Amino acid sequence: MINRRDFIGRAAATAAVLTTTTAKSYARILGSNGRVNFAVIGLRSRAYAHLAALHANKESAQIVTVADVDSRYLDKFCSDVATKTGNSPKGEKDFRNALSNKDVDAITIATPDHWHAPMGILGMQAGKHVYVEKPCAYNPQEGLWLVEAQKKTGKLCQMGSQRRSSKPVMEAIDRLRSGVIGKPYWAETWYATARQPIGVGKPIPVPATLDWDLWQGPAPRQAYTDNVHPYNWHWFRKWGTGETLNNGTHEVDVAVWALGVGLPRRVTALGGRFQAKDDWQFYDNLDVAFEYPDAMITWKGSCISGKKTYGRDRGVAVHGTKGTMVIDIGEWEVYDEKDHMIDSSAKVVKTAAAPSSDRAGIDVHTDQHFGNFIGAIRNGEALHQPVAQGNISVTALHFANIAYFTKRSLNIDGNGMILGDKEAQAMTKRAEYAKGFEPKV
């Protein structure tokens, strides 16, 4: 049997074999006692949840490489990894150096959204397993390419929607399947937080610490301004995907799971930018309806007010013919038709969750989601959120954005095509890529 390093070194030259390789065969090659070597890419807030999760799984995983286009965050993260784990990772400004590193088995992606799918595709093509933060893709077309790349390479790709590995949420889904609220027909989802305006950006010289060209990557080029990096890119259409996919992905994915549905047949969105006149290009409040043949999902997002729903700043309420179940990442409650609580996770298991204002999201659920990913690589466990599954919720939310910007409802066929609306269908893909950064599958 070849050793792990020899296998990884040959991976790029044996893509045809990898196409049919299973997770269990990876485990046999790696060895059940071997630790998985990770490269963490994109080192701002969410990367610290990746660090914490990999440290929580330190018996089976370790960080050997980290990468970021801004040396400020690269240097700090390298230091923080060394302090937390006792091991000093190799730091890279260009993530492609991590992909060519034969010691790296898997990468984690916590970059701006526009890099998620292109980087994930390159990672799998380089023979790496991929853990990609939500949303797995910047647009529906890139989601399809990412899923196709996974199928072609046979590499594992897990989307970072950690509720799929939350024990309380899994318990809630089991209770729903048992018929505790009768037949579920409506999943009501929401997210609320108080964000501040981002102002009108001023052109300034690119900071000496930042590789602005590599930061932009596949996106068309533009001059640097002072209100984009490191966080406000979320609210620019060239790089971000708005609050629907920044946070709505989590709750809508639980709703899809709870109702057992796929892509919606009709999507309607209503909202606007009400807080300020600034460079923010998305809505700050949005109501969305996803319609299915015999069910519906709604999402309400607010970036102005943190007013809670059902006592929570984010969550899911699944309504059925015999009651309602309210689900948070760390707990659930069941109410009968007269709004009396009849059961809750307090009797089973309850774990704390970070508030909606927390950008890192360090919690036991992320630890468990990483544990599942590592177990899939080492031992052939089934992934809790394989990218083909996660991309369903992501694509539905992209349709919500398109419905908002076109100001009309979208009708969707069973294959994810928008019917009778060429303008809307054209918005499912990027019109232009920067030369040399075009995704290729």
Side-chain angles (χ1 to χ4, degrees):
M1 180 177 289
I2 61 175
N3 63 37
R4 178 172 64 81
R5 179 171 295 187
D6 288 340
F7 169 73
I8 296 169
R10 299 175 193 174
T14 57
V17 176
L18 289 176
T19 300
T20 57
T21 303
T22 65
K24 289 185 177 179
S25 64
Y26 287 132
R28 288 195 295 271
I29 294 166
L30 183 62
S32 60
N33 295 321
R35 290 201 289 180
V36 180
N37 290 337
F38 275 85
V40 179
I41 306 172
L43 306 179
R44 277 278 294 166
S45 52
R46 185 58 182 163
Y48 281 87
H50 292 200
L51 167 57
L54 289 169
H55 186 59
N57 290 279
K58 61 186 176 182
E59 298 303 318
S60 56
Q62 62 184 346
I63 298 173
V64 297
T65 303
V66 299
D68 197 282
V69 295
D70 193 322
S71 61
R72 293 174 299 173
Y73 306 121
L74 177 62
D75 294 345
K76 183 179 186 303
F77 199 83
C78 282
S79 176
D80 291 340
V81 172
T83 299
K84 191 173 187 67
T85 70
N87 297 318
S88 297
K90 184 177 183 180
E92 300 281 4
K93 177 170 280 191
D94 191 329
F95 76 93
R96 290 169 292 193
N97 293 330
L99 300 188
S100 64
N101 185 340
K102 295 180 181 180
D103 291 331
V104 172
D105 303 314
I107 65 172
T108 81
I109 301 172
T111 62
D113 295 353
H114 70 289
W115 256 120
H116 284 188
M119 192 175 291
I121 291 167
L122 290 173
M124 287 184 283
Q125 290 172 339
K128 315 303 183 188
H129 302 295
V130 173
Y131 183 104
V132 58
E133 274 299 332
K134 54 75 202 163
C136 60
Y138 166 78
N139 58 43
Q141 178 61 71
E142 290 186 6
L144 293 175
W145 285 338
L146 184 64
V147 171
E148 183 182 355
Q150 189 282 317
K151 291 177 179 178
K152 281 188 174 182
T153 64
K155 286 299 180 181
L156 299 175
C157 185
Q158 172 115 300
M159 189 173 87
S161 38
Q162 60 271 16
R163 282 154 182 76
R164 291 278 181 160
S165 293
S166 163
K167 291 181 180 179
V169 178
M170 290 191 287
E171 175 75 20
I173 299 298
D174 286 343
R175 293 297 177 94
L176 286 173
R177 299 286 186 265
S178 73
V180 67
I181 63 168
K183 183 184 185 306
Y185 61 87
W186 171 31
E188 175 188 7
T189 70
W190 67 93
Y191 175 86
T193 193
R195 299 193 185 278
Q196 298 302 309
I198 63 173
V200 176
K202 300 178 180 62
I204 61 171
V206 177
T209 60
L210 175 65
D211 186 331
W212 179 233
D213 185 68
L214 189 54
W215 188 98
Q216 293 178 91
R221 296 299 182 260
Q222 74 174 51
Y224 184 80
T225 57
D226 64 359
N227 65 343
V228 171
H229 176 65
Y231 187 80
N232 289 334
W233 56 264
H234 280 289
W235 323 123
F236 291 84
R237 295 178 66 184
K238 187 176 286 187
W239 312 297
T241 52
E243 199 71 90
T244 47
L245 289 122
N246 182 38
N247 276 294
T249 310
H250 288 303
E251 280 71 37
V252 170
D253 184 65
V254 172
V256 166
W257 187 14
L259 295 181
V261 296
L263 290 174
R265 295 303 175 89
R266 183 178 172 87
V267 180
T268 305
L270 176 66
R273 174 63 170 154
F274 303 108
Q275 183 185 48
K277 294 186 182 299
D278 56 7
D279 286 342
W280 190 300
Q281 295 175 353
F282 286 89
Y283 36 81
D284 52 31
N285 275 255
L286 192 72
D287 282 13
V288 184
F290 304 95
E291 299 177 45
Y292 300 86
D294 58 353
M296 66 179 181
I297 295 172
T298 57
W299 183 75
K300 180 185 291 291
S302 174
C303 295
I304 299 177
S305 171
K307 175 64 177 175
K308 299 179 186 295
T309 301
Y310 297 101
R312 296 165 173 84
D313 50 18
R314 64 190 308 166
V316 182
V318 184
H319 302 279
T321 54
K322 296 182 180 179
T324 295
M325 175 179 278
V326 179
I327 307 172
D328 198 347
I329 191 172
E331 61 183 345
W332 52 264
E333 298 166 350
V334 178
Y335 297 83
D336 65 16
E337 303 97 311
K338 296 183 179 180
D339 203 27
H340 299 137
M341 186 189 296
I342 58 175
D343 200 2
S344 74
S345 56
K347 301 177 182 178
V348 185
V349 58
K350 179 177 179 178
T351 52
S356 64
S357 58
D358 177 33
R359 293 178 180 175
I362 298 172
D363 57 30
V364 66
H365 316 291
T366 302
D367 297 349
Q368 292 163 349
H369 207 44
F370 266 88
N372 168 245
F373 180 57
I374 295 163
I377 296 171
R378 297 178 76 236
N379 307 313
E381 291 180 20
L383 288 177
H384 290 167
Q385 185 70 312
V387 69
Q389 176 178 275
N391 190 51
I392 293 172
S393 302
V394 168
T395 301
L397 285 159
H398 280 306
F399 289 149
N401 278 347
I402 295 170
Y404 168 74
F405 285 114
T406 59
K407 299 187 182 301
R408 51 184 176 264
S409 296
L410 307 181
N411 294 304
I412 317 296
D413 72 10
N415 297 315
M417 295 291 290
I418 299 173
L419 299 172
D421 193 329
K422 292 183 179 179
E423 179 190 6
Q425 181 61 35
M427 294 172 69
T428 63
K429 59 185 179 181
R430 189 187 283 282
E432 176 188 359
Y433 284 93
K435 187 176 180 179
F437 289 94
E438 306 90 340
K440 297 178 181 179
V441 181

